Amino acid sequence: GRGWGTARATGMALPLLLGQLLALMGPGDAFYLEVRELEEKCFIQEIPDGTVVIGNYKTELYDPAMEKYQPSPQWINLFVFVKDPENKNLLARQYGPQGSFTFTSQSPGEHQICLHLESIRFALFYDGKLAIHLDMQLGERTNDYAEFAAKDKLTQLHLRVQQLVEQVELIQKEQEYQRWREERFRQTSESTNQRVLWWSILQTFILVATGVWQMQHLKSFFKAKKLV
Amino acid sequence: MGPAGARPGSPPSPPLLLLLLLLLLRAERPRGAELTFELPDSAKQCFHEDVERGAKFSLDYQVITGGHYDVDCYVEDPLGKTIYRETKKQYDSFTHRAEVKGVYQFCFSNEFSTFSHKTVYFDFQVGDEPPILPDMGNRVTALTQMESACVTIHEALKTVIDSQTHYRLREAQDRARAEELNSRVSYWSVGETVALFLVSFSQVLLLKSFFTEKRPAPRVAHS
């Protein structure tokens, strides 16, 4: 990829290669959750618009004979469904037993990410246990500082400052998103306020009007019955 | 694939050192997960993580929506011993240094609730944060003032990001309540109007029926 030419020149080819391998290795022995086939697990991510979400995953199948988890065979697939805050489908795809899925949010708010495993063979899968190792990352974090340093020949201090700059950008983005959320909250509260006000007035009118109608109707009824 | 430039008998070359450091880095990368998930009523959800001996891990969790905003949580070590157990907590933080290497399990349970499903946020971190470049970890000299300042700012910013997360969760909680209140007001208003009409009409009809004589069967006049 880009930067290989300069990398070779500065003798950083090997660490770069390793860095890229590390990135590809995915969640490794990361945390996992146990599922059965077709059991859907959903996660919620509240993110601003334009955020890239990368989910690295690895699935494993429990082998009762060996009493441990083994990597899944190729006929176990992961189905990923992502819904945006307006319940529109952002992603609905089938992936292999290991890899990564990615999507970019179009609107800010709560996104729902649902996963379930299916065996694509038609034979009904025995009641086995499966494990999904999952590692979800938000935004485009520059994890590969080695490559960054080699490309621009930066000092360690410069790298530290770069890390701080990225942190501050993350904070800024979150604050902007928070401003949008607060606006929505305020709109909901004001709408509730309005509704309570107008419905109370309306209901008082209806109450009075119904009372007046009742009296008139009964009065004419009693007059007809010659009781009044 | 051997390291470039290594000759037999010579001390390990820098690329090899870097290779070793990177492999070590892989083993001790701060792994963790920060997820929000839905826990249906009467359900339990468990997560597992492989932890090395001596590594410190921390678990933060908070209930965002649902019922009384509480959940049961327990953490078990690989030997099955419960190292943390709390019932009906709204939020908590738990850290532990792993004494046993193996798969640790932490579970959230909503089994005490029969009809409210909960949304739970948790943040599970294992290990310490590695330096941004591998060779920054084993310095011989002390940090310069600039670098110390950078480290201080970095730690402070991490605190800011953490508190932003908690603020975001509380805001989500309040917004969910506000939206629920809004829809309840709508439904209740419509329902009450309908009930008002029904009650007034049936009152009138009932009163009228009290004063209406049952018509007797017409008698045939006998002459």
Side-chain angles (χ1 to χ4, degrees):
Chain A
R2 60 177 168 87
W4 277 106
T6 23
R8 218 157 276 161
T10 56
M12 293 278 280
L14 185 60
L16 266 181
L17 176 65
L18 284 168
Q20 297 205 339
L21 273 178
L22 282 178
L24 284 174
M25 264 193 237
D29 290 332
F31 105 119
Y32 66 89
L33 60 147
E34 292 180 343
V35 290
R36 305 220 167 246
E37 192 196 353
L38 293 179
E39 199 182 332
E40 190 162 59
K41 295 289 175 197
C42 290
F43 301 98
I44 298 171
Q45 286 282 10
E46 203 182 335
I47 44 180
D49 56 337
T51 310
V52 177
V53 179
I54 304 168
N56 296 308
Y57 71 91
K58 187 173 88 161
T59 58
E60 286 177 334
L61 184 56
Y62 188 72
D63 188 350
M66 291 182 61
E67 284 195 3
K68 57 183 273 210
Y69 280 99
Q70 304 289 349
S72 288
Q74 281 301 116
W75 41 266
I76 298 223
N77 281 3
L78 182 78
F79 285 77
V80 181
F81 295 96
V82 179
K83 287 210 170 83
D84 76 352
E86 285 107 35
N87 252 336
K88 211 175 53 172
N89 266 342
L90 263 187
L91 183 73
R93 268 189 64 180
Q94 180 182 340
Y95 293 88
Q98 180 172 333
S100 75
F101 58 89
T102 177
F103 66 92
T104 311
S105 59
Q106 308 294 333
S107 47
E110 282 187 3
H111 291 69
Q112 200 181 35
I113 301 153
C114 290
L115 316 166
H116 72 264
L117 288 167
E118 247 181 69
S119 62
I120 54 178
R121 285 207 296 220
F122 285 118
L124 200 58
F125 194 20
Y126 63 88
D127 199 22
K129 279 201 300 187
L130 294 148
I132 305 179
H133 295 246
L134 188 60
D135 175 28
M136 273 205 279
Q137 286 171 23
L138 304 177
E140 288 148 41
R141 297 231 185 98
T142 312
N143 282 324
D144 213 352
Y145 282 99
E147 179 184 348
F148 192 54
K151 194 159 76 85
D152 290 341
K153 292 196 182 27
L154 302 170
T155 63
Q156 286 194 1
L157 186 61
H158 199 138
L159 278 182
R160 283 188 193 272
V161 172
Q162 183 62 36
Q163 191 188 35
L164 293 178
V165 166
E166 279 174 10
Q167 271 189 307
V168 170
E169 279 176 0
L170 198 71
I171 291 173
Q172 242 182 338
K173 222 173 169 202
E174 177 76 19
Q175 283 191 323
E176 292 237 355
Y177 178 47
Q178 205 255 303
R179 200 186 311 169
W180 174 87
R181 284 195 310 263
E182 191 272 341
E183 195 186 316
R184 257 197 53 181
F185 189 177
R186 201 168 8 100
Q187 281 173 353
T188 308
S189 298
E190 282 177 0
S191 157
T192 308
N193 194 5
Q194 293 280 15
R195 282 186 196 185
V196 166
L197 180 70
W198 287 116
W199 273 111
S200 308
I201 293 175
L202 187 67
Q203 279 184 346
T204 313
F205 269 140
I206 292 177
L207 190 64
V208 169
T210 320
V212 166
W213 170 81
Q214 273 186 329
M215 289 302 114
Q216 283 187 333
H217 191 83
L218 282 174
K219 200 163 139 187
S220 59
F221 174 68
F222 286 145
K223 273 202 176 134
K225 290 281 171 193
K226 304 215 174 36
L227 292 169
V228 174
Chain B
M1 151 187 22
R7 258 161 279 134
S10 62
S13 52
L16 178 57
L17 273 178
L18 219 45
L19 160 74
L20 289 174
L21 277 168
L22 278 169
L23 283 177
L24 277 173
L25 183 75
R26 161 103 170 77
E28 281 188 32
R29 204 156 59 157
R31 296 165 319 192
E34 190 186 338
L35 288 176
T36 313
F37 67 97
E38 264 205 27
L39 190 58
D41 45 293
S42 313
K44 186 171 78 162
Q45 180 65 50
C46 292
F47 299 93
H48 312 256
E49 169 94 50
D50 204 354
V51 182
E52 300 290 322
R53 187 161 182 272
K56 201 166 72 137
F57 65 84
S58 70
L59 172 68
D60 282 318
Y61 62 93
Q62 185 172 349
V63 183
I64 305 180
T65 66
H68 291 292
Y69 303 90
D70 52 1
V71 75
D72 294 346
C73 176
Y74 66 87
V75 181
E76 275 180 14
D77 70 357
L79 304 170
K81 192 174 76 147
T82 307
I83 49 181
Y84 169 85
R85 166 167 250 137
E86 286 286 348
T87 48
K88 301 209 175 168
K89 272 284 216 184
Q90 293 192 349
Y91 59 87
D92 204 3
S93 181
F94 167 69
T95 55
H96 182 77
R97 182 168 288 277
E99 281 140 28
V100 180
K101 172 181 154 53
V103 174
Y104 282 73
Q105 169 177 271
F106 56 99
C107 299
F108 298 98
S109 160
N110 196 20
E111 282 155 343
F112 57 85
S113 171
T114 40
F115 55 84
S116 53
H117 61 267
K118 312 258 162 78
T119 314
V120 179
Y121 159 90
F122 73 88
D123 181 15
F124 186 77
Q125 297 293 330
V126 182
D128 294 314
E129 195 185 353
I132 43 185
L133 271 190
D135 55 343
M136 278 160 111
N138 47 346
R139 286 180 66 103
V140 194
T141 58
L143 296 173
T144 66
Q145 275 200 328
M146 282 290 288
E147 286 177 332
S148 312
C150 281
V151 169
T152 314
I153 297 176
H154 179 64
E155 295 298 318
L157 288 181
K158 274 207 295 200
T159 317
V160 172
I161 291 176
D162 268 343
S163 66
Q164 270 193 330
T165 304
H166 285 291
Y167 188 61
R168 182 184 75 223
L169 294 176
R170 271 207 302 277
E171 191 273 344
Q173 211 177 34
D174 293 339
R175 190 162 28 89
R177 260 192 259 207
E179 284 173 357
E180 202 192 322
L181 183 67
N182 195 350
S183 54
R184 273 196 208 165
V185 163
S186 299
Y187 290 138
W188 178 239
S189 306
V190 170
E192 210 182 316
T193 313
V194 168
L196 198 62
F197 280 133
L198 276 175
V199 166
S200 38
F201 281 139
S202 28
Q203 269 185 332
V204 169
L205 284 174
L206 199 60
L207 267 177
K208 277 163 84 160
S209 73
F210 286 153
F211 292 97
T212 316
E213 320 94 26
K214 304 234 174 7
R215 286 182 190 243
R219 284 172 213 255
V220 177
H222 297 286
S223 60

